[in-house]
Amino acid sequence: MAEETKKQRKQISLSLIQPTSIPTLGNYLGAMKGWPSFQDEFDTVFGIADLHSITVRQDPKKLKQQTIELYALLMSVGLDPDKSILFIQSHVPQHSQLAWLLNCYTMFGELGRMTQFKDKSKQHSDNVNSGLFTYPCLMAADILLYQADVVPVGADQKQHLEITRDIAQRFNSIYGNVFTVPEAFIPKSGAKVMSLADPTRKMSKSDPNPKGTVYLTDTPSVIMKKFKSAVTDSEMCVRYADGKDGINNLMTIYSAVTGLSFDKIESDFAGKGYGDFKKAVGEAVVAELEPVQKKYNDYMNDCAYLAEQWQKGAETARKVSQRTLDKAMKKIGFLQFLK
Ligand code: TRP
């Protein structure tokens, strides 16, 4: 019987996202669109990494507002608080507690090799704080507290997942099996979306050209405008080919949204101009985001309901994560508060 339940247990998948901006169309088509279906395949944990975000100075009002908006958006794209643990990291003190412990099992040299630390300390040279340096220990705590088996991450977070595995293995080798050693999970379905203004660069919230990035909460007219001004080439032929970065990107977006193959898109737009194609891509994106935006507006108008959800999420998260924290603390030799 025990064997049976073990077999039936779904793997645990966990991912956190920072509340530093409204997610972009790139975040959506690259990752978030696939998340709701994880809820059937895995036991899913999704969180908002607000503690991570303060490694870079944040405006207090904006941080609060963006946290609410991101929570509403996660629900709007289809994450269901009845199926997933959906929580805000700062509501679950166990994350900070385990992070401290893990700090003491992580080497200075290891953290110094993190490319994100090196990049961010150059970018924010006036604020190279300790949190920026120990960031991976907090991320490891996020993951290990829930005994996650798989962590869907973008390429930029792979090194942080590697160090999480190293920390877990180091701890386990001293104390026995306390933590599940997680695997990175790079979902196959995600599309890589480039900036509409400079299609050689990834679509990003930090694009210097605001026309390059579509946000999930952009209005239909803003979305249409951004697509109409998308950079293309002078060939005037809708086909996927080297050197046609702008058209390749629009085709990738169109295909991700409509499910049409590149061949089909090429034949549908044979003989048509880029104006028609850009309009079609813009309209397809508007239609794709319409139900998400409708839900988002409804949630944002019912903050009491949202608060109920994040409270429920935090309660479950605290319960689950406390089990792992207790186990780790006991192994280390801390005196238990309750005897
Ligand atoms: N560091 C991740 C990012 O910036 C966010 C994050 C924090 C995360 N904790 C995590 C991602 C745990 C996956 C698992 O994108």
Side-chain angles (χ1 to χ4, degrees), residues 280-299:
V281 182
E283 283 168 352
V285 169
V286 167
E288 168 87 10
L289 296 185
E290 193 190 71
V292 175
Q293 295 189 344
K294 160 114 190 30
K295 280 192 206 144
Y296 174 75
N297 291 329
D298 290 347
Y299 288 134

Side-chain angles (χ1 to χ4, degrees), residues 294-330:
K294 160 114 190 30
K295 280 192 206 144
Y296 174 75
N297 291 329
D298 290 347
Y299 288 134
M300 288 304 285
N301 284 325
D302 192 354
C303 230
Y305 177 73
L306 275 181
E308 234 172 72
Q309 301 311 310
W310 72 58
Q311 285 160 13
K312 194 173 77 181
E315 268 163 28
T316 314
R318 286 178 192 176
K319 224 183 281 158
V320 174
S321 60
Q322 187 65 43
R323 276 187 232 136
T324 305
L325 183 63
D326 279 343
K327 213 164 152 190
M329 290 184 75
K330 219 166 145 187

Side-chain angles (χ1 to χ4, degrees), residues 63-261:
L63 177 60
K64 194 182 288 174
Q65 184 60 22
Q66 286 173 352
T67 304
I68 299 173
E69 289 171 358
L70 184 56
Y71 198 91
L73 257 179
L74 291 176
M75 290 190 30
S76 308
V77 302
L79 297 186
D80 177 350
D82 288 328
K83 290 187 185 166
S84 291
I85 302 178
L86 183 55
F87 73 100
I88 296 165
Q89 190 187 28
S90 65
H91 292 172
V92 186
Q94 286 80 359
H95 289 248
S96 312
Q97 288 176 272
L98 183 63
W100 168 256
L101 305 183
L102 297 182
N103 267 312
C104 303
Y105 296 83
T106 308
M107 300 302 127
F108 190 85
E110 276 179 308
L111 291 171
R113 283 194 290 276
M114 295 293 114
T115 54
Q116 185 174 304
F117 170 68
K118 291 190 229 172
D119 292 346
K120 285 216 177 161
S121 29
K122 264 190 224 135
Q123 254 174 45
H124 304 277
S125 54
D126 56 336
N127 184 21
V128 185
N129 60 73
S130 319
L132 200 57
F133 188 66
T134 61
Y135 178 116
C137 297
L138 179 58
M139 182 158 158
D142 298 340
I143 297 168
L144 301 179
L145 277 173
Y146 299 86
Q147 307 287 351
D149 299 287
V150 292
V151 182
V153 284
D156 63 321
Q157 295 297 320
K158 265 185 85 180
Q159 200 184 22
H160 289 158
L161 198 69
E162 274 308 308
I163 195 173
T164 299
R165 290 169 55 86
D166 292 342
I167 297 168
Q169 276 159 348
R170 179 173 303 136
F171 198 95
N172 287 349
S173 73
I174 305 170
Y175 300 109
N177 268 343
V178 176
F179 300 125
T180 301
V181 180
E183 301 278 347
F185 174 68
I186 315 264
K188 33 187 177 330
S189 53
K192 188 170 179 206
V193 175
M194 312 303 279
S195 160
L196 299 182
D198 176 1
T200 60
R201 295 164 43 147
K202 224 175 106 175
M203 183 177 282
S204 148
K205 59 180 183 196
S206 45
D207 194 323
N209 187 337
K211 284 187 190 160
T213 309
V214 174
Y215 293 96
L216 294 192
T217 52
D218 279 350
T219 60
S221 71
V222 168
I223 296 175
M224 291 307 293
K225 253 189 230 143
K226 286 179 179 174
F227 276 99
K228 278 183 190 152
S229 67
V231 166
T232 48
D233 56 68
S234 55
E235 192 197 36
M236 295 310 269
C237 175
V238 177
R239 66 186 183 96
Y240 198 96
D242 275 355
K244 290 174 66 74
D245 297 322
I247 287 296
N248 295 350
N249 187 37
L250 292 176
M251 286 179 71
T252 301
I253 294 170
Y254 195 60
S255 167
V257 169
T258 60
L260 297 174
S261 69

